[in-house]
Amino acid sequence: MKILKDSLIYLFGELVAKALPFLLLPYLTRKFGSAGFGELSYYQTIGSLLIIVFALSQDGALTRYFYVYGKRNLHNIMLSGYLYTLFCTIIALLYAWFSQSMILAAVIVAAAAQSILGVQLAWRQCQKYAVSYTLIQIASGVLTSLLTVVFLESSEQISPTPRFAALFIGNIIISLIAYYFAQPKRCTKKGSLKILKLSGCYIIAFGAPLLLHHASGFIKGQLDRIVIYQHYPAEQLGIYAAAYQVASILSILLLAINKATVPHYYQAIKQGSLNATKVRQFARYSLIIAPLPAFITYMLPEKLFLWLLGTAYGGVQHYICLFLIGFGLTIPYYLLVNYLFYYGKNKRIASISLLSTGAYLLALFTTTLLGIAWIPLAMIIGNIVILPILFYYVREEKAA
């Protein structure tokens, strides 16, 4: 029953933490207007790309280290990862300084703070500290949301900069408090420069092969907004981005469930109660569930979404339904890819992601020529293509 209890705690925390940012959506869509919200979405995309580089899968490296090697050196893994993030942040800020771009600097520090917070969450997740994990999630969501409203209302001009400043300040404060309560003396001895260097090498060895994997995820989940920003008016991007954020409620739910179950998933594989056959079976059953949220949304009146976002966001329901299909397909993806993650098949995952990304890019540029209304199909196609490949390799892993 512990898996059910932890899942409910993680789910509750994820929902509460994301509820305030979601409640901010009507405020932001009206505050910025469709054009301004499109610009905000564009810089959020840049921030997502920076997080891939700054984080370098430190959360995954920390989790795997705990289950494979134990917790004695866990704190040094955390510290060496932070040093890497600090180095990347300084380099990026120098670029922003030379570019004389205040908004880019705000995006950079916000991305760094989110990367740091992600490591604190991973430290607790791998040790199944569901309550403290949830408290950090909620505190981050509350503080960044409050600061966003305060900064935007205090600003004379409507700009994305206050939003990213709020994300930076809120997340860095929560990260520092969380680090203080991590109590490293309980999990490791005092580290040395040599140990930190070895820990850094471990993070790079784990995370570098996954850059392609995460870059693939970025391309499939974010590149469309950059393409739209270059080819369509900002107003249309605003409608598109607002639909994505509404549909991302499903993504948040699935991510919360995945985070809650991964430790138990790994434990089940280790104990032999979960194998490749069962994983593939669960993944096949999940394909039945994937399109249901989109169908339910399609049956709702569009006036509901216009009431939520504002009258300037006409046609948003069409995009929401398509995005929900794409997000629904991540259910079998999580089930399959976590099996390969457990066995450290990072290079294989990266190769699979690369193939899927190729299919997505082809679909993206094709649908861009057809019109913006067709662009969400690229996400669906990219997520479908990766599934049979994952099915094959999970089956192969059983035979290994």
Side-chain angles (χ1 to χ4, degrees), residues 82-104:
Y82 283 167
L83 290 174
Y84 164 81
T85 300
L86 178 62
F87 173 78
C88 291
T89 303
I90 292 173
I91 297 298
L93 284 175
L94 286 174
Y95 175 81
W97 181 69
F98 283 117
S99 302
Q100 296 294 300
S101 176
M102 180 61 71
I103 186 171
L104 181 57

Side-chain angles (χ1 to χ4, degrees), residues 148-171:
T148 296
V149 175
V150 171
F151 290 172
L152 283 173
E153 292 300 322
S154 302
S155 178
E156 295 181 358
Q157 295 182 340
I158 302 301
S159 165
T161 302
R163 170 58 174 165
F164 292 106
L167 290 172
F168 165 65
I169 295 173
N171 284 334

Side-chain angles (χ1 to χ4, degrees), residues 98-362:
F98 283 117
S99 302
Q100 296 294 300
S101 176
M102 180 61 71
I103 186 171
L104 181 57
V107 173
I108 289 168
V109 294
Q114 189 168 336
S115 300
I116 291 171
L117 184 66
V119 174
Q120 286 299 317
L121 291 172
W123 189 88
R124 287 158 176 82
Q125 181 195 6
C126 66
Q127 299 178 79
K128 301 177 184 177
Y129 297 158
V131 174
S132 60
Y133 179 102
T134 300
L135 289 175
I136 293 172
Q137 282 277 76
I138 294 174
S140 172
V142 170
L143 186 55
T144 55
S145 298
L146 289 175
L147 289 175
T148 296
V149 175
V150 171
F151 290 172
L152 283 173
E153 292 300 322
S154 302
S155 178
E156 295 181 358
Q157 295 182 340
I158 302 301
S159 165
T161 302
R163 170 58 174 165
F164 292 106
L167 290 172
F168 165 65
I169 295 173
N171 284 334
I172 205 66
I173 289 174
I174 299 302
S175 296
L176 290 173
I177 296 172
Y179 179 79
Y180 174 79
F181 285 104
Q183 298 178 347
K185 61 183 181 181
R186 293 187 177 183
C187 62
T188 182
K189 294 182 178 180
K190 185 177 180 180
S192 65
L193 184 61
K194 182 179 179 180
I195 292 176
L196 287 175
K197 182 179 178 181
L198 290 173
S199 299
C201 290
Y202 165 76
I203 287 177
I204 293 173
F206 180 90
L210 288 175
L211 280 174
L212 281 176
H213 170 68
H214 290 298
S216 171
F218 168 81
I219 290 172
K220 290 189 289 184
Q222 307 280 345
L223 184 64
D224 52 354
R225 266 152 282 181
I226 295 178
V227 172
I228 292 171
Y229 192 78
Q230 302 297 326
H231 292 86
Y232 294 93
E235 290 83 355
Q236 293 190 41
L237 174 58
I239 297 171
Y240 185 96
Y244 184 91
Q245 287 199 234
V246 172
S248 66
I249 297 172
L250 177 60
S251 177
I252 291 168
L253 286 171
L254 296 177
L255 182 61
I257 294 170
N258 182 61
K259 285 184 176 181
T261 56
V262 159
H264 303 280
Y265 184 101
Y266 284 178
Q267 192 70 29
I269 295 175
K270 187 175 183 179
Q271 294 174 349
S273 58
L274 183 65
N275 55 32
T277 300
K278 290 183 178 179
V279 169
R280 294 198 310 274
Q281 186 178 36
F282 291 147
R284 283 194 292 268
Y285 290 152
S286 70
L287 288 171
I288 301 173
I289 304 172
L292 291 181
F295 176 75
I296 294 171
T297 302
Y298 178 77
M299 301 302 293
L300 297 174
E302 188 175 27
K303 291 181 180 179
L304 177 64
F305 301 101
L306 296 180
W307 170 81
L308 175 67
L309 301 172
T311 56
Y313 293 83
V316 72
Q317 186 178 24
H318 163 81
Y319 296 110
I320 293 173
C321 291
L322 292 178
F323 284 134
L324 285 174
I325 295 174
F327 286 133
L329 290 170
T330 60
I331 302 174
Y333 170 79
Y334 282 139
L335 288 168
L336 295 166
V337 81
N338 285 335
Y339 187 85
L340 298 181
F341 271 129
Y342 176 82
Y343 286 102
K345 304 298 182 181
N346 295 348
K347 292 183 179 179
R348 180 173 294 172
I349 294 170
S351 300
I352 295 171
S353 298
L354 192 61
L355 291 172
S356 174
T357 302
Y360 170 82
L361 286 173
L362 181 61

